[in-house]
Amino acid sequence: MSFGGSTIIERSLLERLAEERLGDFETLMAAGRYAAAIYLGVYAVECLLKAHICKSLDLDALPETYEKHHLLVLLLHSGLNRRIQGMAVYDNLRKLDGMWNPADRARNIRYIDPSRYVREIAEMVRGWLVDPQNGVVTWLRSQL
Amino acid sequence: MASQPALDPDVDRIREALAGLLTPGRPYRIEFIHGPWPFLRAILVSDDFEGMHVGQRQEWIWSRLRDGLDAKLNSRLFSVYPCTWNEARNEFEETDAGGLRARYGS
């Protein structure tokens, strides 16, 4: 749905997108497309953080001003930053962030040689995402 | 994007903790780039990361920092970007202020 040229991104859509992208993560892992799998797995985290921003602001849709991609900045706006401190899940979120978001927020996995992402890395990332205790997705889901 | 924040004692303590992760005597460089205040991002340059892939580097850093930084400093350190000297030369350039910035911004 759009209005005045802007797309309306509803909270429910963000939650659904997160689950879809996690499904894509597993499909791509099975196909050996590890860089793309990681990209979509992290995108699922982004969707969940944006859903949390909607929740914390008590809004049904994401305001345009939050259409950003930096995970830790989204975390700040989600209201979860204090709650996540000191937990292993926070380290996992920073690992996801640190893989491709250094000095320049514009640089990310889309521009990094896919051959740098082998199965071993992707399996590690799977743990960071969906580990039953410390996975970022697991935790974000539990807080929604 | 400023680097090397001045008059912030936490920066020196975080720098010390990061340097303490590395092989003693081996050349390293640590630069800080502000995230949204008070959060910091660090670029950590060392050939200790040679042969480690990107995921392993993150695992290596955060598993060690968990015990190496107190809670307050840990919460200020938003992210760490580890790279080798060769990678740093390819990915970053010097700023006039003596810091680093990414070559391939958009």
Side-chain angles (χ1 to χ4, degrees):
Chain A
M1 192 186 340
S2 69
F3 180 76
S6 295
T7 302
I8 294 174
I9 306 171
E10 293 173 341
R11 174 181 165 181
S12 58
L13 174 62
L14 287 164
E15 292 177 28
R16 282 205 312 279
L17 276 175
E19 300 309 318
E20 285 279 330
R21 296 295 84 88
L22 278 171
D24 293 338
F25 172 84
E26 293 300 344
T27 301
L28 289 163
M29 284 287 285
R33 306 289 291 178
Y34 303 120
I38 293 168
Y39 179 63
L40 290 176
V42 175
Y43 185 59
V45 172
E46 182 179 319
C47 290
L48 283 170
L49 285 168
K50 288 176 174 174
H52 272 284
I53 290 173
C54 294
K55 181 187 176 192
S56 71
L57 297 174
D58 196 19
L59 292 171
D60 293 329
L62 186 74
E64 194 178 51
T65 188
Y66 294 109
E67 290 179 15
K68 302 183 184 309
H69 309 292
H70 194 285
L71 300 181
L72 294 166
V73 173
L74 293 174
L75 176 75
L76 287 182
H77 290 292
S78 73
L80 295 170
N81 187 57
R82 192 180 294 277
R83 212 179 305 169
I84 202 174
Q85 293 300 319
M87 299 170 69
V89 66
Y90 185 46
D91 288 348
N92 286 338
L93 182 59
R94 291 189 289 192
K95 290 171 197 169
L96 291 170
D97 178 84
M99 283 179 73
W100 57 74
N101 218 327
D104 185 336
R105 74 188 83 180
R107 289 180 73 243
N108 64 40
I109 194 172
R110 287 176 294 179
Y111 307 114
I112 293 177
D113 180 356
S115 67
R116 287 175 70 176
Y117 294 89
V118 294
R119 180 174 189 87
E120 186 186 359
I121 303 180
E123 291 291 353
M124 191 181 287
V125 170
R126 178 190 265 143
W128 299 346
L129 290 169
V130 295
D131 178 85
Q133 258 74 52
N134 299 317
V136 175
V137 166
T138 312
W139 187 77
L140 288 173
R141 277 177 179 152
S142 75
Q143 303 297 306
L144 265 175
Chain B
M1 191 158 53
S3 66
Q4 299 293 4
L7 304 174
D8 184 345
D10 285 356
V11 169
D12 289 334
R13 294 172 62 200
I14 293 172
R15 183 192 303 278
E16 199 176 298
L18 289 171
L21 303 179
L22 303 169
T23 304
R26 201 168 201 182
Y28 68 87
R29 180 169 180 175
I30 299 169
E31 296 289 341
F32 289 94
I33 293 169
H34 283 297
W37 177 260
F39 302 100
L40 296 161
R41 305 175 191 289
I43 301 168
L44 182 53
V45 185
S46 165
D47 282 342
D48 276 359
F49 301 116
E50 198 75 62
M52 277 191 231
H53 60 56
V54 287
Q56 279 177 323
R57 293 175 187 184
Q58 289 297 319
E59 196 65 53
W60 190 91
I61 284 169
W62 291 106
S63 60
R64 284 162 177 77
L65 277 182
R66 177 160 272 276
D67 299 322
L69 271 182
D70 68 33
K72 179 195 165 211
L73 295 179
N74 200 307
S75 72
R76 284 202 62 189
L77 187 58
F78 231 15
S79 58
V80 180
Y81 183 70
C83 57
T84 64
W85 284 99
N86 260 341
E87 291 164 349
R89 276 188 284 273
N90 288 332
E91 296 177 18
F92 299 101
E93 58 192 6
E94 299 283 342
T95 66
D96 291 341
L100 294 176
R101 71 168 159 244
R103 285 186 189 278
Y104 308 112
S106 64

